[in-house]
Amino acid sequence: RYISTFRPSVKCEAAKNKAQWKTMGPAKVAVPSPKNFLQKHSKEPKLPARKKEQDSKKLPALSVPRRTDHPVMGIQSKKNFINTNAVAAITGLPKKPTPIYVDRRQGDKYLLETSGLVPKYIKKKDYGVTPKYVTQRNEEMKRAQKEYEASVLEHLKKGAMKRLSDEERRSLLQGLKKNWEEVYREFQGLSVEIDTIPKKIYKEKLESQMKQLEHDIEVIEKHKVIYIANE
């Protein structure tokens, strides 16, 4: 059987330290002196001693009168408060009542100023005045239009573009409208049932032609001045 080599030393230490714990706590305890008994408030934290006020660190003067202060006596006023109050009541303007409105039969009252019923917005000083950003934008648009017209005139001088006259524009517009009517008449003449591929292709072709003609008519009607490239 295996026996540890430290067994004798362990037995010796156990026998040596076993006698110390036969009592509650250590064997030798210092007995307190009867003079050091517990006193009242002895365990409360103690504040440091208050230092005396120095001349440089005096407290500011209090607005509350001190106990030793006495009011000034013997001051009299010659003002006639009765007559003064009577004159103020006669000459003063009457107090205007706060405008209110009642919205129920029970008499619930609300302030009229914050209700939105008073036309306060139209009484502003800047009411109806064009804002600055609008005028600035209009000026920029006019400047851009002038620059565009100047560039167009420059191209006209060079002979790269020419302007359509009113008669040419009118005749061009009438021709486009006439073409649209012809295409529309053909579109109305289509059969109700599109059952073959050629019919479907022909219908899509007429629709695209009508859309293109409508777009061209709208452009010409919108712009009174039209420039075209000079061939």
Side-chain angles (χ1 to χ4, degrees):
R1 191 178 62 175
Y2 171 76
I3 297 174
S4 177
T5 57
F6 299 100
R7 185 173 183 180
S9 61
V10 173
K11 283 185 178 182
C12 181
E13 290 180 3
K16 188 188 296 183
N17 298 328
K18 191 175 181 180
Q20 293 184 2
W21 307 104
K22 287 185 176 180
T23 59
M24 296 295 293
K28 294 181 180 180
V29 181
V31 181
S33 175
K35 294 181 180 180
N36 298 332
F37 56 89
L38 185 64
Q39 296 181 0
K40 190 176 182 180
H41 304 293
S42 61
K43 292 187 177 182
E44 293 181 358
K46 295 182 180 179
L47 299 175
R50 185 176 181 182
K51 297 180 180 180
K52 294 183 179 180
E53 294 181 0
Q54 300 178 1
D55 297 338
S56 61
K57 295 182 180 180
K58 289 185 178 180
L59 296 175
L62 299 175
S63 60
V64 181
R66 299 180 181 275
R67 186 179 296 177
T68 57
D69 295 345
H70 299 285
V72 181
M73 305 296 290
I75 297 177
Q76 296 180 358
S77 176
K78 295 181 181 180
K79 182 178 180 180
N80 191 346
F81 291 95
I82 297 176
N83 294 339
T84 305
N85 294 340
V87 171
I90 293 170
T91 59
L93 297 174
K95 186 178 180 181
K96 294 183 179 180
T98 305
I100 58 176
Y101 73 97
V102 182
D103 62 346
R104 290 188 179 182
R105 190 170 51 183
Q106 287 78 5
D108 296 337
K109 299 178 181 179
Y110 302 96
L111 293 177
L112 184 62
E113 186 177 359
T114 58
S115 64
L117 302 174
V118 182
K120 295 175 63 177
Y121 184 77
I122 61 175
K123 293 183 179 180
K124 289 185 176 181
K125 294 181 179 180
D126 57 347
Y127 179 76
V129 180
T130 306
K132 293 182 179 180
Y133 72 92
V134 176
T135 55
Q136 184 178 0
R137 186 178 62 183
N138 293 337
E139 292 176 357
E140 291 178 355
M141 292 174 63
K142 290 180 181 178
R143 193 182 305 112
Q145 183 66 23
K146 289 180 180 179
E147 292 177 357
Y148 172 73
E149 291 178 357
S151 63
V152 170
L153 290 174
E154 186 177 356
H155 283 290
L156 287 173
K157 290 178 180 179
K158 291 180 180 180
M161 299 175 64
K162 68 175 183 179
R163 178 179 174 180
L164 286 179
S165 61
D166 295 339
E167 295 180 359
E168 293 176 346
R169 177 177 172 274
R170 196 179 303 107
S171 62
L172 179 63
L173 188 62
Q174 290 177 358
L176 290 173
K177 290 182 178 179
K178 185 177 181 181
N179 293 339
W180 184 86
E181 290 177 357
E182 292 177 357
V183 176
Y184 184 70
R185 192 179 301 108
E186 292 181 5
F187 182 79
Q188 291 288 341
L190 292 175
S191 59
V192 178
E193 186 176 358
I194 309 297
D195 53 353
T196 60
I197 295 177
K199 290 183 180 180
K200 185 177 181 181
I201 294 173
Y202 185 62
K203 179 184 177 183
E204 292 177 355
K205 180 182 177 181
L206 293 178
E207 288 177 350
S208 63
Q209 289 179 1
M210 290 172 62
K211 287 182 180 179
Q212 184 63 36
L213 290 171
E214 288 173 359
H215 178 265
D216 296 340
I217 291 170
E218 184 180 359
V219 170
I220 295 175
E221 288 180 346
K222 185 177 181 182
H223 301 88
K224 295 182 179 179
V225 180
I226 300 174
Y227 298 94
I228 60 175
N230 191 7
E231 297 180 356

